[in-house]
Amino acid sequence: MFSAGVSTTVAIQTYVALLFARYLDKNPEIIETLQQVALGIFICLTIFFFFIAKDTRREVPKDISKRKRTRFFSGMFIAFLNLLPLPYWVYISITFSVWSWFSFEQIPLIGAILGSAIGTFIMLALYIQFFKSLNAKKENQLNMNYIIGIITAIISLITAFKIFREF
């Protein structure tokens, strides 16, 4: 149920991102400003994940029992907090549109939304199976916030390079 909630939110985020991408595709002068805003956001995320976020290597309580409806809405809420699908789908759809691999018509939009939701659901199901097997081995846990911080730092560097190259 948690995965279904996440997938529902991801489908909504994909739809919003694709509508925004269609607008940007028709108005390319806005993209430069958005790159600068994105750079600021990714720098803030990098600082947050390296210095502010708590350590993720903590024991999960085993006595928590939740109803299925609560899990569904928890999945929706947590996915709603993750805004990375929005810039991802904007970037991918505009790039693929330029290469003529994607169009902003009804059928490709629906296909992208369904593919995003179904792919998210399947990947979460695989993650659950993978982490259940890792849960037995607790000797090598990583702090996931550092991994996310490294990813956002790399994205920040790439974006900064693109912005300053244009000057």
Side-chain angles (χ1 to χ4, degrees):
M1 289 306 292
F2 179 83
S3 298
V6 171
S7 297
T8 301
T9 301
V10 167
I12 294 167
Q13 288 175 327
T14 302
Y15 177 68
V16 169
L18 290 174
L19 290 179
F20 187 60
R22 180 173 31 189
Y23 173 76
L24 289 177
D25 194 45
K26 294 176 183 175
N27 301 294
E29 64 278 359
I30 300 173
I31 293 175
E32 187 176 316
T33 304
L34 286 176
Q35 283 181 332
Q36 295 169 354
V37 170
L39 176 61
I41 291 170
F42 282 119
I43 289 172
C44 290
L45 285 172
T46 301
I47 292 168
F48 173 78
F49 283 114
F50 274 126
F51 302 111
I52 300 170
K54 303 247 188 254
D55 192 352
T56 60
R57 299 171 294 177
R58 62 181 181 274
E59 187 71 29
V60 177
K62 296 182 189 241
D63 60 341
I64 295 177
S65 63
K66 292 185 177 184
R67 296 181 308 219
K68 288 185 180 183
R69 188 182 339 170
T70 305
R71 286 187 210 144
F72 179 82
F73 289 115
S74 293
M76 284 187 76
F77 178 71
I78 289 172
F80 177 74
L81 294 176
N82 177 19
L83 298 177
L84 291 178
L86 295 170
Y88 170 81
W89 276 106
V90 168
Y91 176 77
I92 291 296
S93 62
I94 289 175
T95 302
F96 285 178
S97 174
V98 168
W99 294 340
S100 299
W101 293 356
F102 182 76
S103 70
F104 292 101
E105 297 172 9
Q106 187 87 13
I107 300 297
L109 284 175
I110 292 171
I113 293 165
L114 288 175
S116 177
I118 292 168
T120 299
F121 185 83
I122 290 170
M123 288 310 299
L124 284 173
L126 291 173
Y127 286 154
I128 289 169
Q129 295 306 314
F130 176 73
F131 284 110
K132 278 184 180 178
S133 68
L134 276 184
N135 208 14
K137 305 175 197 174
K138 294 215 179 225
E139 63 269 359
N140 288 345
Q141 287 188 348
L142 294 173
N143 184 351
M144 291 303 293
N145 289 330
Y146 290 138
I147 294 171
I148 296 170
I150 289 169
I151 292 168
T152 57
I154 291 169
I155 293 170
S156 297
L157 290 173
I158 292 169
T159 305
F161 178 75
K162 284 175 64 178
I163 289 171
F164 293 125
R165 185 180 63 180
E166 293 173 4
F167 283 126

